[in-house]
């Protein structure tokens, strides 16, 4: 399981870091003990909107936007991008400086492609539908409704709001096929 990173919505999965302590639910320490590299868990029942956002965790952990064969962010950076609040309930376990290494020049290094909201390497009506579906979503706001509507891949220009500019960009690039 080298390189494996795990999260789950199990409420008390990080209530202890001792695997021989009996708890009511599975423990992320058992995943680490079995060879897992990193995990994020809950030390107590988290509020629903405090749960780890897997979209940010895995896209930021895997993305190699500059194409140097190494992921752009470390595990700690990707983890903190995915935990909505720095509070008492979330626990990050693993080497904070761990970084995915694809190897130089590896064509399989992953990165989201500009304007390709559903990650199928084509900019078309599906991407347009996704942006329209999440239209109005805002990343940095106290308005829960708009925050929950926000979707990172629909925010094409990555300015923290899904709006007409994102629609325009997809229309402009409509038909683009990434090799
Ligand atoms: Ca697409
Ligand atoms: Ca935007």
């Amino acid at each position: 399981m080298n390189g494996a990173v795990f999260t789950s919505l199990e409420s008390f999965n990080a209530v202890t870091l001792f695997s021989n302590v009996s708890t009511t639910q599975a423990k992320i320490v058992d995943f680490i003990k079995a060879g897992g590299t990193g995990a994020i868990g809950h030390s107590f029942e988290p509020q629903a909107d405090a749960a780890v956002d897997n979209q940010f965790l895995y896209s930021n952990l895997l993305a190699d936007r500059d194409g140097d064969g190494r992921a752009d962010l470390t595990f700690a950076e990707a983890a903190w991008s995915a935990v909505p609040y720095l509070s008492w309930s979330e626990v990050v376990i693993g080497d904070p400086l761990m970084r995915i290494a694809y190897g130089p020049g590896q064509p399989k290094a992953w990165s989201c492609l500009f304007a390709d909201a559903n990650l199928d390497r084509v900019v078309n009506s599906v991407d347009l539908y996704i942006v329209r579906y999440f239209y109005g979503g805002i990343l940095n706001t106290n308005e829960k409704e708009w925050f929950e509507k926000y979707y990172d891949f629909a925010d094409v220009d990555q300015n923290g709001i899904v709006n007409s500019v994102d629609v325009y960009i997809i229309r402009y690039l409509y038909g683009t096929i990434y090799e």
Side-chain angles (χ1 to χ4, degrees):
M1 288 202 289
N2 283 343
V5 172
F6 173 83
T7 70
S8 79
L9 292 176
E10 211 152 18
S11 299
F12 298 95
N13 60 4
V15 70
T16 178
L17 297 183
F18 295 97
S19 61
N20 60 353
V21 175
S22 176
T23 63
T24 56
Q25 293 176 319
K27 299 183 278 290
I28 59 172
V29 67
D30 290 331
F31 169 74
I32 298 295
K33 196 173 172 187
T37 296
I40 304 177
H42 316 289
S43 63
F44 203 72
E45 183 81 64
Q47 296 292 315
D49 60 357
V52 176
D53 192 328
N54 288 324
Q55 173 197 344
F56 294 121
L57 174 63
Y58 292 107
S59 61
N60 285 329
L61 189 64
L62 294 171
D64 176 22
R65 292 175 200 261
D66 61 7
D68 69 349
R70 285 161 52 85
D72 304 322
L73 297 185
T74 63
F75 176 51
E77 291 168 328
W80 290 129
S81 76
V83 176
Y85 310 107
L86 293 179
S87 185
W88 49 269
S89 70
E90 312 302 304
V91 178
V92 178
I93 299 176
D95 180 349
L97 299 182
M98 184 269 286
R99 191 187 294 261
I100 302 291
Y102 293 99
Q106 288 297 309
K108 297 210 165 141
W110 183 86
S111 186
C112 59
L113 300 166
F114 193 60
D116 180 18
N118 71 334
L119 310 179
D120 70 348
R121 308 187 77 80
V122 182
V123 180
N124 61 17
S125 60
V126 179
D127 306 298
L128 206 50
Y129 174 84
I130 290 170
V131 171
R132 284 184 174 143
Y133 185 83
F134 293 99
Y135 197 96
I138 302 173
L139 180 59
N140 295 308
T141 176
N142 292 326
E143 298 294 327
K144 188 174 178 186
E145 177 191 354
W146 299 117
F147 174 75
E148 290 184 346
K149 198 169 176 66
Y150 182 80
Y151 180 59
D152 192 35
F153 295 150
D155 182 12
V156 178
D157 63 356
Q158 294 283 290
N159 72 338
I161 181 167
V162 180
N163 63 15
S164 59
V165 177
D166 304 303
V167 171
Y168 174 82
I169 292 170
I170 288 196
R171 282 192 162 163
Y172 187 78
L173 295 174
Y174 199 95
T176 299
I177 300 172
Y178 292 100
E179 296 298 320

